[in-house]
Amino acid sequence: MSKTSFSRALTAALLGLALTTAARADTKDYEFQLVKDEAKQGEAILDVRLVDKRTSKPVPNAVIFAKRIDMAPDSMEEMTSKIEQMPSPEPGIYRFKAKLTMAGGWRLSLGAKVQGETGTVENKLVFKATK
């Protein structure tokens, strides 16, 4: 085998390995994490980090397509509020504005698509609103 043929074969093998490894990622490899687990009652800003659990690195440019906020932790799932996505303060951080009408336990439910992955990342995050 010539050097050129060997080089091409090695490049093809490495490319195939890289593509196979990337395809093994799963939406279970990602999770949303609250930056703070408390917020003030009223108009609140909620920052959420999306991380790759395999590397603990933030994941930028995900597309958030589902968001809901309710008081399910206090057995009031029907008590919902408006939630609006805001511009990201930094890569991998997703910011939301919500009106927390009562002090107590709140649940933020998110659904997102991560660039280059199939499937949906879904998490339900619980935090507390304080007076």
Side-chain angles (χ1 to χ4, degrees), residues 46-116:
L46 307 170
D47 286 337
V48 178
R49 180 179 294 110
L50 179 58
V51 296
D52 183 330
K53 294 190 290 187
R54 299 164 299 170
T55 62
S56 299
K57 292 186 178 180
V59 179
N61 304 319
V63 177
I64 309 291
F65 66 87
K67 53 193 175 295
R68 174 185 162 94
I69 193 162
D70 60 48
M71 290 194 76
D74 283 355
S75 300
M76 293 187 281
E77 191 169 350
E78 69 284 348
M79 179 69 128
T80 62
S81 188
K82 290 184 180 181
I83 184 164
E84 173 187 341
Q85 189 167 354
M86 312 261 314
S88 174
E90 63 184 77
I93 300 288
Y94 300 85
R95 180 168 277 178
F96 302 92
K97 179 170 69 171
K99 184 164 182 145
L100 306 178
T101 54
M102 294 176 62
W106 286 83
R107 176 178 67 184
L108 174 59
S109 302
L110 296 172
K113 294 284 187 184
V114 173
Q115 302 295 323

Side-chain angles (χ1 to χ4, degrees), residues 22-37:
R24 288 187 189 149
D26 188 272
T27 55
K28 292 179 182 81
D29 293 329
Y30 302 93
E31 74 177 355
F32 285 104
Q33 301 170 344
L34 289 166
V35 172
K36 294 181 182 176
D37 60 358

